[in-house]
Amino acid sequence: MDATDLEALARAVAAGTMTPEELVQRVHTDAVLDVGYAQVDTARGARTGISEVVYGAGKTHQQIAGICAAMCSAGQERILITRLDATKAQQLVEDSAFESVRDRFTYYADARAGVVGELPQPSGNGVILIISAGTSDATVAAEAELTARFLGNEVHVVQDAGVAGIHRLLRHAEDIAHAQVIVAIAGMEGALPSVVGGLAACPVIAVPTSVGYGANLGGLTALLAMVNSCASGVSVVNIDNGFGAAYQASLINHL
């Protein structure tokens, strides 16, 4: 259901030919495509400005293909599939249910994600700066970068600028000063967002990663360090959640 359909229903309520309750029921019914194993929300883009994203982990390639087919049938022009490994991506390409969009599908191995359709031109207010502490955080950074670009943002990425060699971070002081939003990604002790937060005049979204030795506890140490940051303006997403950080950054960048 697009904006024109919604306007027609609203006019029907205003004219008295449809009750408000009927409008709510109609919108609810038209907003969902039931494919058996999934309830595809086809109206999320109209409600929130961003269409539904497919989380690939835990789904079969047949299920992903079916969900994408349902989205495309409802008029969704581009689809992001996160946490998609290379084997499943190849199976997806070979799936007959995926045939109609196969030529528009691109797999991004570094981000473990796939995109149906073209990435849009940037439409945000400024630049989203993604800073990762180490090369081992690159996969999470790549997920954040692709997500931000998919959502229509100009993105600049700084890799391997952790606090263990703080001069590597400080040489990007100008990028930090001019960013609209910053996504700071780090494992180990998780100190990077606090340092960045003390330099930046914009919101900083911290992403703890599961990178590190035993006491990293799968990212828990970095998560707790970031939650306890003494820098103002730092918020924190889940461990390894590059997608969630980029989504939040995009919302801020499009205000």
Side-chain angles (χ1 to χ4, degrees):
M1 180 179 295
D2 59 21
T4 302
D5 296 326
L6 286 172
E7 182 177 352
L9 293 177
R11 290 186 182 280
V13 173
T17 59
M18 177 181 287
T19 67
E21 292 75 16
E22 288 173 333
L23 181 145
V24 171
Q25 181 61 37
R26 175 72 177 276
V27 170
H28 176 76
T29 302
D30 289 353
V32 176
L33 283 177
D34 186 350
V35 295
Y37 46 82
Q39 303 286 322
V40 182
D41 184 355
T42 60
R44 186 174 301 184
R47 292 196 314 272
T48 69
I50 300 174
S51 298
E52 188 170 15
V53 172
V54 181
Y55 179 70
K59 294 183 177 68
T60 66
H61 67 89
Q62 295 97 332
Q63 289 172 334
I64 296 172
I67 292 169
C68 288
M71 288 177 164
C72 290
S73 71
Q76 189 165 326
E77 295 182 358
R78 62 179 63 90
I79 303 169
L80 175 62
I81 309 165
T82 65
R83 299 302 166 95
L84 183 66
D85 62 66
T87 299
K88 194 179 294 183
Q90 184 59 41
Q91 293 171 333
L92 182 61
V93 169
E94 296 170 355
D95 195 302
S96 59
F98 203 66
E99 184 176 5
S100 62
V101 297
R102 184 177 299 147
D103 293 341
R104 299 194 294 123
F105 175 75
T106 304
Y107 182 62
Y108 297 84
D110 55 346
R112 298 175 300 172
V115 173
V116 175
E118 298 292 330
L119 296 179
Q121 291 297 313
S123 56
N125 297 317
V127 175
I128 294 177
L129 176 63
I130 298 174
I131 306 175
S132 68
T135 305
S136 297
D137 301 308
T139 299
V140 177
E143 180 182 66
E145 178 185 4
L146 178 61
T147 300
R149 294 191 189 281
F150 178 87
L151 297 176
N153 298 277
E154 182 180 351
V155 183
H156 181 61
V157 180
V158 173
Q159 299 275 17
D160 194 26
V163 298
I166 200 166
H167 57 287
R168 300 175 301 181
L169 176 65
L170 296 179
R171 64 193 294 264
H172 296 283
E174 187 173 346
D175 294 325
I176 293 172
H178 290 95
Q180 187 83 358
V181 193
I182 298 175
V183 176
I185 302 169
M188 299 293 187
E189 81 294 327
L192 178 65
S194 291
V195 176
V196 172
L199 298 172
C202 65
V204 176
I205 303 171
V207 186
T209 70
S210 51
V211 171
Y213 294 102
N216 172 265
L217 302 177
L220 181 59
T221 298
L223 172 65
L224 294 177
M226 292 174 182
V227 169
N228 282 281
S229 173
C230 62
S232 302
V234 174
S235 59
V236 188
V237 297
N238 207 347
I239 298 168
D240 291 336
N241 191 7
F243 164 79
Y247 192 107
Q248 179 75 356
S250 181
L251 291 177
I252 295 170
N253 195 35
H254 283 86
L255 287 175

